[in-house]
Amino acid sequence: MATQEALTKGLALPRLIAIVVILAMWQALALSGLLFRDVVPPLEALVVGFVGVLISPDFYANLAITFAELLAALAGGGLAGLVVGLCLGASRFASKAFEPWLGYLGPTPKIILFPLLILMFGVGVESKMAMGAVSCFFPIAISVAAGVRGVDPVLLKVGRSFRARLDQMLIKIYLPAMIAPLLNGARLGFGVALIGVLLAETKLSKQGLGFMVMDAYQRFDMPRMYGLLIVSVGIAAVVNIVLEHLAIQAGHKKPTKH
Amino acid sequence: MSAPLLSVDGVTRRFGPETCGVLAVDNMSFDVRQGEFVSIIGPSGCGKSTLFSMLGGLLPPTSGRIAVEGDVITGPHPAVGMVFQEESCLPWRSVIDNVAFPLELEGIGKSERHDRAQHFVELVGLHGFEKRHPAELSGGMRQRVCIARTLAAKPRLLLMDEPFAALDEQTRLLLGDKVLQIQQELHQTTLLITHSITEAVQLSDRILVMTYRPGRLKRIVEVHLPRPRNADVVTSPEFGATVAEIWSDLREEASRGMAASEVS
Ligand SMILES: Nc1ncnc2c1ncn2[C@@H]1O[C@H](COP(=O)(O)OP(=O)(O)OP(=O)(O)O)[C@@H](O)[C@H]1O
Ligand SMILES: [Mg+2]
């Protein structure tokens, strides 16, 4: 732990310098007049835009909608991914037969399905939820399947030898043994679900963060658009950091393998 | 003489097809009686773990029949407890929660199962380590956690597959002592699988010697050392004589095993 701390300490300064350099370059670019003033606004305009976003009630209403869509997407896509992943992980046959499909479909951009989802679920929040759910299904199913296969077989023998029921095997053996890959799947799933929901909101939509960004863009209100982008990226980053931290902590409790 | 607790009758296990597969266990028959300590000894790869899995009901025999307390087994039997060759502590559970695991599966409440588990934690000499996690313990301590966990389920027949194989010689001898002490305290009927001759002679009433490929029963050696025993029996002349007797049997099998592994 001590070495890790030292490492982080040594990293703080170069990171700070990099941020300052990037901001300085931005400001130089903004003041140079090489680009449209509104496309690369100076830092003070960005701060104004950022604060403006934070104090507008409109922003919180839309944030709540995006958040609700994201939660529904993660619940739906996550549950489906969990069930499919468990089945694929448990059956070597199912894995051989169907897992390549997940591998092929997983990385294709889901946005091409959006017209179809609009036809199925309408232009409201439902089609955005579906977009997020379809996006996060794949990485979650793939990590759950890999997690099931990664469970130490001797722990399964322990459970069976004590005559654990199926539900006990799932809750007391599989779940704790898979906590790290599960959290990792959640992190990947969160990332792509957020992309799916925001992207869907930028199309045919009247609410949500994605809509606000497009709206600000169409009004050419660049500081507001940048403010929204900064807030969105910040939220995504914070959630990612929390999930990664949880995954690392769960990983620490794992066996020191021999 | 009472009816055998475990009876193994013509048990065979083959991996792969009839013609070119591996015949891991070939037509083994033996009994274990109430209160006995029996060891099975054989060279590496002779089919000991395969036999162990079948006795525990985790692997069906290709043919033959295994009965525990008169029931032909078709899956894990409630009277049988298993300690595995591989490291098998649940790494996310503390020592006490590992030992209480089988009681938790039975639906026993937390305070009662901790009380009961505590007894077995102390029995294996891990008092003071209840709240530790397996990663914080030595290999020998982890193996003792697994033994305590299996004992906590109160098996009438304890099966152990090379529980000390991964440990150094001194730790093995001391743990052997612990097992002796536990066995004498609980009158625990035990079948121990091992490839250590000294361990087998130190602990057992009878020793079954297995052949290499196919795994068959070569012969049964009765150990007449007096009980109660402790680690000091290893110095008695009778101990030496029994070890020599088994070694002469095993040497042949072990060298066949070595030759086979050099070819492959
Ligand atoms: N699931 C399996 N599929 C195919 N072959 C197997 C399987 N399990 C065991 N075998 C083979 O059966 C033989 C006996 O294996 P087993 O693990 O029972 O030996 P062992 O006596 O326990 O060895 P060790 O002392 O090294 O633990 C070996 O040749 C092994 O390759
Ligand atoms: Mg083995």
Side-chain angles (χ1 to χ4, degrees), chain A residues 130-188:
Chain A
M131 204 34 226
V134 170
S135 303
C136 72
F137 166 77
F138 291 94
I140 290 178
I142 291 171
S143 359
V144 169
V148 171
R149 281 192 294 269
V151 176
D152 189 348
V154 76
L155 301 183
L156 304 178
K157 290 198 276 182
V158 167
R160 284 179 62 206
S161 79
F162 289 126
R163 305 179 344 122
R165 298 185 309 262
L166 179 64
D167 60 309
Q168 292 176 322
M169 288 295 285
L170 284 175
I171 293 169
K172 296 185 193 289
I173 306 268
Y174 279 102
L175 186 67
M178 285 169 55
I179 201 78
L182 281 180
L183 282 171
N184 194 40
R187 194 164 61 91
L188 294 173

Side-chain angles (χ1 to χ4, degrees), chain A residues 154 160 163 168 172 176 253, chain B residues 58 76 87 89 91-92 104-105:
Chain A
V154 76
R160 284 179 62 206
R163 305 179 344 122
Q168 292 176 322
K172 296 185 193 289
K253 292 221 183 95
Chain B
L58 298 179
E87 186 124 325
C89 286
W92 55 86
E104 188 178 323
L105 294 180

Side-chain angles (χ1 to χ4, degrees), chain B residues 15 22 24 42-51 85 161-162 195 213:
Chain B
F15 290 109
V22 175
S44 191
C46 75
K48 302 184 296 294
S49 293
T50 306
L51 178 67
Q85 181 172 8
D161 187 7
E162 305 198 39
H195 55 224
R213 291 265 173 108

Side-chain angles (χ1 to χ4, degrees), chain B residues 13-241:
Chain B
R13 174 73 209 201
R14 180 187 297 282
F15 290 109
E18 185 93 30
T19 44
C20 56
V22 175
L23 188 55
V25 173
D26 184 24
N27 195 21
M28 281 187 74
S29 301
F30 62 92
D31 287 345
V32 176
R33 290 183 295 275
Q34 180 75 44
E36 253 190 323
F37 195 118
V38 175
S39 288
I40 295 183
I41 191 163
S44 191
C46 75
K48 302 184 296 294
S49 293
T50 306
L51 178 67
F52 171 79
S53 295
M54 290 193 288
L55 298 180
L58 298 179
L59 181 74
T62 308
S63 63
R65 160 180 177 284
I66 299 165
V68 174
E69 298 180 327
D71 313 328
V72 174
I73 64 162
T74 51
H77 191 281
V80 176
M82 306 176 81
V83 177
F84 294 90
Q85 181 172 8
E86 305 91 335
E87 186 124 325
S88 68
C89 286
L90 303 173
W92 55 86
R93 282 175 176 247
S94 64
V95 167
I96 191 84
D97 282 326
N98 257 289
V99 176
F101 180 65
L103 306 174
E104 188 178 323
L105 294 180
E106 284 172 34
I108 294 169
K110 184 162 181 165
S111 67
E112 191 191 338
R113 69 174 185 254
H114 275 191
D115 283 350
R116 286 213 230 161
Q118 184 66 34
H119 170 72
F120 292 97
V121 169
E122 284 167 21
L123 190 71
V124 298
L126 286 177
H127 187 62
F129 292 92
E130 292 82 355
K131 297 276 173 292
R132 300 295 190 85
H133 278 78
E136 304 171 87
L137 307 178
S138 71
M141 292 162 99
R142 284 200 286 265
Q143 211 44 284
R144 279 186 275 165
V145 172
C146 296
I147 293 172
R149 179 176 64 188
T150 302
L151 288 174
K154 296 255 169 98
R156 295 187 284 286
L157 172 63
L158 174 65
L159 302 177
M160 295 199 279
D161 187 7
E162 305 198 39
F164 315 130
L167 308 175
D168 61 78
E169 188 63 26
Q170 295 91 305
T171 317
R172 280 175 84 111
L173 272 178
L174 289 176
L175 278 187
D177 217 15
K178 197 93 227 170
V179 168
L180 257 183
Q181 187 193 327
I182 290 168
Q183 191 245 338
Q184 282 156 9
E185 217 162 288
L186 303 177
H187 304 287
Q188 177 71 57
T189 312
T190 307
L191 182 71
L192 172 76
I193 288 171
T194 179
H195 55 224
S196 158
I197 304 177
T198 47
E199 192 172 282
V201 178
Q202 180 195 7
L203 299 171
S204 315
D205 300 308
R206 279 193 299 149
I207 299 171
L208 315 181
V209 182
M210 276 181 81
T211 60
Y212 181 83
R213 291 265 173 108
R216 283 196 190 119
L217 201 52
K218 181 159 181 169
R219 74 192 203 102
I220 300 179
V221 177
E222 305 258 347
V223 181
H224 296 294
L225 297 169
R227 284 191 187 274
R229 299 177 196 161
N230 58 35
D232 295 339
V233 296
V234 299
T235 56
S236 78
E238 210 176 334
F239 183 89

Side-chain angles (χ1 to χ4, degrees), chain A residues 107-230:
Chain A
T108 55
K110 309 301 171 306
I111 194 70
I112 54 170
L113 297 178
F114 192 49
L116 188 64
L117 296 177
I118 289 181
L119 290 178
M120 289 163 81
F121 299 104
V123 293
V125 290
E126 291 84 356
S127 57
K128 279 82 190 174
M129 293 174 181
M131 204 34 226
V134 170
S135 303
C136 72
F137 166 77
F138 291 94
I140 290 178
I142 291 171
S143 359
V144 169
V148 171
R149 281 192 294 269
V151 176
D152 189 348
V154 76
L155 301 183
L156 304 178
K157 290 198 276 182
V158 167
R160 284 179 62 206
S161 79
F162 289 126
R163 305 179 344 122
R165 298 185 309 262
L166 179 64
D167 60 309
Q168 292 176 322
M169 288 295 285
L170 284 175
I171 293 169
K172 296 185 193 289
I173 306 268
Y174 279 102
L175 186 67
M178 285 169 55
I179 201 78
L182 281 180
L183 282 171
N184 194 40
R187 194 164 61 91
L188 294 173
F190 168 81
V192 294
L194 183 64
I195 294 173
V197 166
L198 287 179
L199 210 52
E201 281 174 353
T202 62
K203 320 283 166 204
L204 275 178
S205 171
K206 289 244 165 302
Q207 46 194 356
L209 276 188
F211 160 74
M212 282 185 86
V213 171
M214 283 320 275
D215 190 52
Y217 164 74
Q218 268 152 10
R219 291 166 202 268
F220 220 68
D221 187 349
M222 286 298 135
R224 181 173 168 81
M225 191 189 88
Y226 276 112
L228 284 164
L229 291 181
I230 294 168

